Amino acid sequence: MTIAVKNDAKHAKSGVSSPREDAARGRSLSSIRNIGIVAHIDAGKTTTTERILYYTGRVYKMGEVHEGTAVMDWMEQEQERGITITSAATTCFWRDHQVNIIDTPGHVDFTVEVERSLRVLDGAVGVFCGVGGVQPQSETVWRQAKKYHVPCLAFVNKMDRMGANFAKVVSELREKLAAPAVPVQLPWGSEEDFKGIVDLVHMKAFLFKEENLGSGVSEIAIPEEMAVDAEKQRAALVEKTAEVDETLLEIYLENPDVPAALLAAAIRRATIAGHLVPVLCGSSLKNKGVQPLLDAVVDYLPSPVDVPAVTGIHPKTEAPEVREAGDYEPLSALAFKMATDSFVGKLAFIRIYSGKLEKRQNVFNPRTNKREKIGRLLRLHANSREDVDVLYSGEIGAISGLKFFTTGDTLCAENDAIVLERIVFPEPVIAMAIEPKTQADRDALAAALQSLTEEDPTFRVTMNEDTGQTIINGMGELHLEIIKDRIFREFKVKANAGKPVVAYRESARTAGTGEFTFEREIGGRGHFAKLVIEVSPRERGTGNQVNVNVSKEVVPAIFHLPITQGISDALMTGVLGNYPLVDIEVNVTGGAAHPVDSSEMAFRTAAVMALRDAVGNSSPTLLEPIMKLEIISPEDHLGDVMNDLNGRRGRIREIESRDGIQIVHVDVPLAEMFGYATTLRSLTKGRASYTMEPQSFEAVPDSMQETILNRY
């Protein structure tokens, strides 16, 4: 990957725009921070974001998640449930830096929101519960951040809670996430005695005045009882940083008492390089530690010029293309999210990597090969909007009025085109039938489903060919519940919805061959095509692969695309229960064509039928989604929980003991997990909890396949 050119130090200090920047932009590229707040559900992401907005002056009153008044949780469904469902973007300012923030969901059903947000961010703040530590979804979002090489800070929240343990969370960050976690702060007190924080870089303590919601921060000397530990931890911080930063190592060898400014600069370099994860602490709900977190965002996380230049390919030649951050570079931007707004219509959330966007400017979409004119440009604050004339390189904003763009599309200049890497989304694992109550609701339901599929790439709509029912597919029961609720309330559609069922898949167990000859007269003209197709299984999770290996002399090249399209159609419905076919390799090995009668329609149809024949000869099998389940249970209820899991075909991976509770890690089929929340509550008298996320697809036991096929 090409490394971005660093911003000139003179410009960075003065705030004057560099030669790559438009003088009209207001703030230099080096003063922009694009960050995401990511964590496990209920770790305090939205509460932390609300405090950030309050202390930066973006809002005049703090919202609370538990009261349903959080600014960033603006959807009715979020306010009612006290959880974040959709990622919300906002812009605020701190120490003359522009901080663009995306607050993401923690519930695994909405992990796509985290995935597409991290794709366009330069840095992230991982929020961890001081009591719960590294929880399952914490691991998932951390892996996503590492996948996109996003530098991270860790903020250990809820230090005022009973059982909070800062050292334990730091240890878990290192062990469970393999993160090079190093504390840059220490908590001053813990649980109900949590007073403030000790800054190890500047060797100062901070107290937060409760009478003015933490806005008043007192900077004092480190208390005597913490002085020895603070010196020891600072020495460890300097040593760890010097190990990964040669500049600091030279300074450290001359003088172990490294000045604060040089240490902070080294921490920044090491964090951006991914060699260090600074760990901070606080209590967002009690308004302690958030301002130093903002300082750390400015001091340690990268600006758009500190990260590698974005790379892509040319849409026609597929040659590699590189775009440096800068206003005078050719335009490259990514539409990372679509949303429907009741006031401005369809919104495309975009990250501008290079160039700038102006109102009424034409942009090119390489996927559709079409130009579109920019209508309104917007800067976002949750569900409110601010019209702007220009969005500059490095900024995150939105465009209204684009007709043909979808999630993952690139916006670029037609004469200097580029295709940025698309986001890959997971497959849905659960389905539900839905149908309009009256004929009048049919069109409204279709329009609602169309809008929702444009917004959410993990939400799919299919038709059951046997029953004619509309089937909606999603990532979990809560996902479909929210979708259904939005259809009823937001789109005001009256419809009947069935119970959620498992979204099975089909695959091949062995290699198989099939052939089909299509020979028919339609409309007074003959149509002829013959194809021979071989299928074979691929490794689970690798997807399908289609190869047309037949020579052009046997089947002319003009028919190769219709053959591929026919195979793609056939892969959507299998041979056992009309479930999609996955993880198979398809090879077209033979066939025949007629010099006059062969047609695209004939070869497309022959491809469908030959593939179905080949799959039928390959010992087809049903695949079911396997979930990764983590149960936190008191020790005295562990036996009942384990017995119940055995009856659900669960495979225990690990049981860990922690502070009087047992944490059970288990793989279990989704089909066995409907209604599990009620069962677990009953078994443990309401004392246990669980989290669950999709992990893989595995073959259904032969003894159960016929039962499932008859049921559905």
Side-chain angles (χ1 to χ4, degrees):
M1 187 175 279
T2 306
I3 302 299
V5 179
K6 303 294 183 212
N7 202 38
D8 182 70
K10 179 181 72 176
H11 292 119
K13 277 187 178 180
S14 66
V16 178
S17 59
S18 80
R20 289 187 294 159
E21 299 172 22
D22 190 327
R25 68 179 291 140
R27 281 180 173 77
S28 68
L29 264 169
S30 61
S31 67
I32 290 178
R33 301 290 182 272
N34 293 312
I35 68 164
I37 311 289
V38 298
H40 183 87
I41 190 170
D42 204 32
K45 297 179 302 302
T46 302
T47 302
T48 302
T49 309
E50 292 294 318
R51 270 57 184 173
I52 288 173
L53 297 180
Y54 180 74
Y55 297 135
T56 57
R58 195 68 176 82
V59 297
Y60 67 91
K61 181 182 177 183
M62 283 185 193
E64 301 292 359
V65 174
H66 57 274
E67 294 174 0
T69 57
V71 173
M72 301 301 277
D73 284 352
W74 55 271
M75 290 174 64
E76 289 179 21
Q77 293 84 355
E78 293 177 314
Q79 293 166 356
E80 290 171 355
R81 290 168 171 82
I83 62 171
T84 302
I85 291 168
T86 182
S87 54
T90 189
T91 299
C92 56
F93 299 91
W94 184 256
R95 284 174 38 193
D96 204 32
H97 284 67
Q98 178 178 326
V99 183
N100 301 317
I101 302 173
I102 298 182
D103 175 36
T104 64
H107 197 286
V108 67
D109 283 14
F110 310 105
T111 189
V112 62
E113 294 286 346
V114 185
E115 182 87 15
R116 59 184 172 187
S117 299
L118 286 170
R119 169 69 176 81
V120 299
L121 293 172
D122 300 325
V125 176
V127 180
F128 298 88
C129 174
V131 182
V134 176
Q135 296 164 290
Q137 191 64 9
S138 310
E139 296 183 49
T140 302
V141 298
W142 200 264
R143 283 198 307 272
Q144 290 171 316
K146 294 300 104 183
K147 173 179 164 184
Y148 293 114
H149 308 288
V150 177
C152 296
L153 303 177
F155 179 66
V156 182
N157 191 25
K158 304 188 180 183
M159 288 306 302
D160 61 309
R161 290 267 299 273
M162 183 73 70
N165 188 328
F166 180 73
K168 185 193 77 172
V169 179
V170 174
S171 176
E172 287 187 5
L173 285 168
R174 293 169 180 161
E175 292 169 11
K176 292 189 174 183
L177 304 180
V182 180
V184 295
Q185 295 176 355
L186 292 178
W188 180 359
S190 64
E191 299 181 348
E192 61 183 18
D193 295 325
F194 178 64
K195 300 182 181 70
I197 62 165
V198 171
D199 183 339
L200 298 176
V201 176
H202 300 91
M203 291 301 282
K204 296 173 182 174
F206 294 96
L207 282 173
F208 302 87
K209 296 178 181 177
E210 296 185 14
E211 60 269 19
N212 59 4
L213 299 176
S215 293
V217 184
S218 300
E219 184 182 302
I220 60 174
I222 296 173
E224 285 185 24
E225 68 270 18
M226 292 196 67
V228 174
D229 190 33
E231 289 287 352
K232 180 181 172 184
Q233 293 285 355
R234 189 183 200 269
L237 170 62
V238 173
E239 286 179 16
K240 288 281 187 186
T241 310
E243 285 175 11
V244 295
D245 187 85
E246 289 184 10
T247 306
L248 186 69
L249 180 61
E250 293 175 10
I251 297 167
Y252 174 66
L253 291 174
E254 291 179 10
N255 176 21
D257 187 18
V258 178
L262 296 178
L263 177 57
I267 293 171
R268 175 181 176 79
R269 290 192 296 270
T271 302
I272 292 171
H275 300 320
L276 217 64
V277 175
V279 185
L280 303 94
C281 60
S283 170
S284 297
L285 188 63
K286 296 297 175 67
N287 312 313
K288 296 175 181 177
V290 177
Q291 295 96 321
L293 173 61
L294 273 165
D295 286 336
V297 166
V298 168
D299 291 339
Y300 305 139
L301 289 181
S303 72
V305 295
D306 296 315
V307 296
V310 69
T311 59
I313 61 170
H314 192 279
K316 291 181 180 176
T317 66
E318 297 192 358
E321 296 278 344
V322 178
R323 295 286 188 272
E324 302 280 356
D327 297 330
Y328 298 115
E329 292 284 317
L331 173 67
S332 66
L334 187 74
F336 67 94
K337 176 177 174 174
M338 310 304 292
T340 303
D341 188 288
S342 55
F343 295 101
V344 297
K346 185 177 173 182
L347 275 180
F349 288 53
I350 58 163
R351 159 70 194 265
I352 301 178
Y353 288 100
S354 62
K356 58 185 178 182
L357 264 182
E358 301 182 54
K359 283 168 70 173
R360 293 178 290 279
Q361 176 181 339
N362 281 325
V363 292
F364 181 65
N365 184 344
R367 180 183 62 83
T368 60
N369 211 31
K370 289 182 179 178
R371 279 176 301 178
E372 286 197 59
K373 182 169 280 192
I374 300 294
R376 293 172 66 184
L377 287 176
L378 306 163
R379 191 168 281 135
L380 299 164
H381 177 50
N383 67 328
S384 60
R385 299 149 302 276
E386 173 192 343
D387 279 275
V388 293
D389 292 327
V390 188
L391 286 173
Y392 294 98
S393 172
E395 291 195 306
I396 290 174
I399 306 172
S400 73
L402 293 179
K403 293 180 181 177
F404 303 109
F405 277 83
T406 63
T407 301
D409 280 351
T410 301
L411 293 78
C412 61
E414 189 171 1
N415 61 350
D416 208 337
I418 185 174
V419 179
L420 302 178
E421 182 185 357
R422 291 186 70 87
I423 309 166
V424 179
F425 299 108
E427 287 292 312
V429 297
I430 196 167
M432 176 194 291
I434 190 166
E435 56 187 24
K437 283 190 175 179
T438 66
Q439 190 65 31
D441 289 309
R442 187 172 298 279
D443 291 342
L445 177 61
L449 294 176
Q450 176 68 23
S451 291
L452 291 167
T453 51
E454 288 175 356
E455 284 186 29
D456 186 351
T458 60
F459 173 63
R460 313 272 173 85
V461 180
T462 57
M463 289 290 293
N464 186 315
E465 293 181 2
D466 296 331
T467 64
Q469 283 182 309
T470 300
I471 308 295
I472 58 176
N473 303 264
M475 297 304 296
E477 287 184 86
L478 180 61
H479 188 198
L480 290 187
E481 183 64 34
I482 297 296
I483 291 285
K484 184 175 73 171
D485 197 43
R486 289 186 66 191
I487 289 170
F488 295 165
R489 292 162 63 173
E490 188 178 321
F491 293 94
K492 296 180 173 55
V493 177
K494 294 178 181 176
N496 297 316
K499 290 183 178 180
V501 296
V502 176
Y504 290 98
R505 299 287 184 271
E506 296 181 27
S507 193
R509 275 191 273 213
T510 63
T513 303
E515 65 175 83
F516 188 82
T517 302
F518 184 89
E519 192 169 8
R520 197 170 298 173
E521 186 174 312
I522 301 173
R525 184 191 164 213
H527 292 268
F528 176 86
K530 180 183 179 181
L531 286 177
V532 180
I533 287 179
E534 292 179 358
V535 300
S536 55
R538 302 186 78 207
E539 189 178 336
R540 289 283 168 263
T542 55
N544 297 324
Q545 182 176 324
V546 178
N547 306 307
V548 181
N549 296 325
V550 65
S551 72
K552 296 174 183 176
E553 288 74 27
V554 176
V555 176
I558 193 173
F559 299 125
H560 287 194
L561 179 59
I563 290 170
T564 304
Q565 292 170 337
I567 290 171
S568 298
D569 291 343
L571 289 170
M572 298 300 293
T573 54
V575 298
L576 295 175
N578 289 332
Y579 300 111
L581 286 156
V582 296
D583 301 334
I584 63 172
E585 183 173 337
V586 182
N587 289 296
V588 181
T589 58
H594 190 278
V596 177
D597 289 346
S598 285
S599 65
E600 291 188 3
M601 183 273 290
F603 272 103
R604 190 164 182 156
T605 306
V608 171
M609 302 309 295
L611 179 68
R612 293 182 68 83
D613 186 34
V615 172
N617 294 328
S618 65
S619 302
T621 184
L622 270 187
L623 304 180
E624 62 181 344
I626 304 297
M627 312 301 285
K628 186 167 78 172
L629 180 68
E630 182 183 90
I631 303 164
I632 301 174
S633 170
E635 193 165 355
D636 50 347
H637 292 292
L638 183 62
D640 292 334
V641 171
M642 297 287 284
N643 288 335
D644 180 68
L645 288 172
N646 288 333
R648 295 175 184 270
R649 298 190 281 138
R651 295 195 306 267
I652 310 296
R653 283 187 286 115
E654 181 188 4
I655 302 174
E656 70 179 284
S657 183
R658 189 193 299 169
D659 300 332
I661 60 170
Q662 299 293 317
I663 302 173
V664 184
H665 301 271
V666 57
D667 297 335
V668 62
L670 175 61
E672 307 290 346
M673 293 305 294
F674 291 104
Y676 184 65
T678 304
T679 302
L680 186 64
R681 219 170 13 243
S682 173
L683 288 172
T684 62
K685 298 178 182 175
R687 296 173 64 196
S689 62
Y690 77 97
T691 55
M692 184 170 68
E693 62 179 289
Q695 179 168 269
S696 61
F697 279 87
E698 293 183 9
V700 175
D702 290 344
S703 59
M704 300 182 63
Q705 292 211 21
E706 192 172 337
T707 305
I708 291 169
L709 291 169
N710 289 337
R711 187 191 313 159
Y712 297 119

